[in-house]
């Protein structure tokens, strides 16, 4: 079999040999690139999961030491769902900033921040350029960094600081 393939290759014109070699290299390159990308994504998801688990433990510790959530748990879940809906697609307006800022402004303590981040968990939604890239997948902190510019993030962090909330985006 090996000799048949090689003899077939040997009989090809030189331009066709070049196409076969370049095509083979391209297949190896794109396969390796996909494999590396998949491994990186799996590592990122593992790190995100560890972050969420740590935040859940921190929230439990706060609640066990007397801190209280300012709102029912269902509010944090609804806010997380609302954030994902706002972040889907290619919105060029500023209503995402306003909506997200309004949610952050409702926080009264660290427990509120942690309750939202744990309710958000790891979400996947269509990103603006999803027809070129895969959907966005990440925790709230990563989603905020994906959706907002540095000036907007600083505004959110200033709001958190003004409420003596120690967590930042």
């Amino acid at each position: 079999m090996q000799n048949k393939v090689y003899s077939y290759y040997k009989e090809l014109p030189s331009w066709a040999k070049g196409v076969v070699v370049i095509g083979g290299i391209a297949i190896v390159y794109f396969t390796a690139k996909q494999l590396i990308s998949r491994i990186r994504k799996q590592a990122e998801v593992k790190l995100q999961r560890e972050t969420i688990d740590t935040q859940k433990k921190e929230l439990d510790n706060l609640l066990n030491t007397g801190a209280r959530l300012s709102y029912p748990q269902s509010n944090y879940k609804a806010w997380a769902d609302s954030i994902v809906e706002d972040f889907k697609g290619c919105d060029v307006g500023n209503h995402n900033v306003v909506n997200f800022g309004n949610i952050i402004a409702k926080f009264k303590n660290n427990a509120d921040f942690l309750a939202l981040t744990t309710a958000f968990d790891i979400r996947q939604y269509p990103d603006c350029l999803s027809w070129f890239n895969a959907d966005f997948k990440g925790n709230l902190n990563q989603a905020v960094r994906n959706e907002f510019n540095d000036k907007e993030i600083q505004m959110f962090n200033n709001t958190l600081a003004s409420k003596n909330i120690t967590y930042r985006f």
Side-chain angles (χ1 to χ4, degrees), residues 25 78 125 142:
I25 290 171
Y125 58 86
Q142 292 169 317

Side-chain angles (χ1 to χ4, degrees), residues 1 9 27 48-50 54 68 72 83 92 98 112 120-121 132 134 143 151 167:
M1 172 88 177
Y9 172 78
I27 289 170
Q48 292 169 13
R49 175 59 43 214
E50 289 171 0
T54 300
R68 300 244 183 254
I83 290 167
V92 294
V98 173
D112 291 334
F120 191 91
D121 199 41
F132 294 118
K151 183 179 175 185
Y167 296 95

Side-chain angles (χ1 to χ4, degrees), residues 153-169:
I153 292 170
Q154 186 59 48
M155 181 181 67
F156 301 140
N157 287 337
N158 289 343
T159 300
L160 294 170
S162 73
K163 295 171 173 286
N164 294 321
I165 296 172
T166 58
Y167 296 95
R168 302 290 183 268
F169 293 107

Side-chain angles (χ1 to χ4, degrees), residues 93-106:
N94 71 344
H95 87 276
N96 288 355
V97 175
V98 173
N99 290 348
F100 190 74
N102 287 340
I103 292 170
I104 299 302
K106 293 176 184 177

